[in-house]
Amino acid sequence: MPQLTRRGFIAASLAAGTARSLPQLAKAPPARRILTLVYDKSVGAMRAVERVVR
């Protein structure tokens, strides 16, 4: 097994996940993305929350 650095492992994981989900995304109808701004008390600032609605 090759020696992977943390950065290499993350890159390989993302590439594998993208390769798995790409065919499903191609078949799916276009989804609506809803962006909502909420106040996060723990951070003390506004935060964006994105939802995907099919």
Side-chain angles (χ1 to χ4, degrees):
M1 185 157 165
Q3 294 290 338
L4 287 177
T5 61
R6 182 185 308 182
R7 184 174 288 167
F9 175 76
I10 292 172
S13 298
L14 288 174
T18 302
R20 284 186 57 190
S21 64
L22 206 65
Q24 294 173 355
L25 291 175
K27 289 189 284 186
R32 287 181 38 203
R33 295 182 179 268
I34 298 175
L35 185 66
T36 308
L37 293 175
V38 295
Y39 184 76
D40 191 349
K41 290 181 182 178
S42 64
V43 178
M46 297 295 285
R47 188 168 61 103
V49 177
E50 185 178 25
R51 292 185 313 174
V52 177
V53 180
R54 294 181 188 242

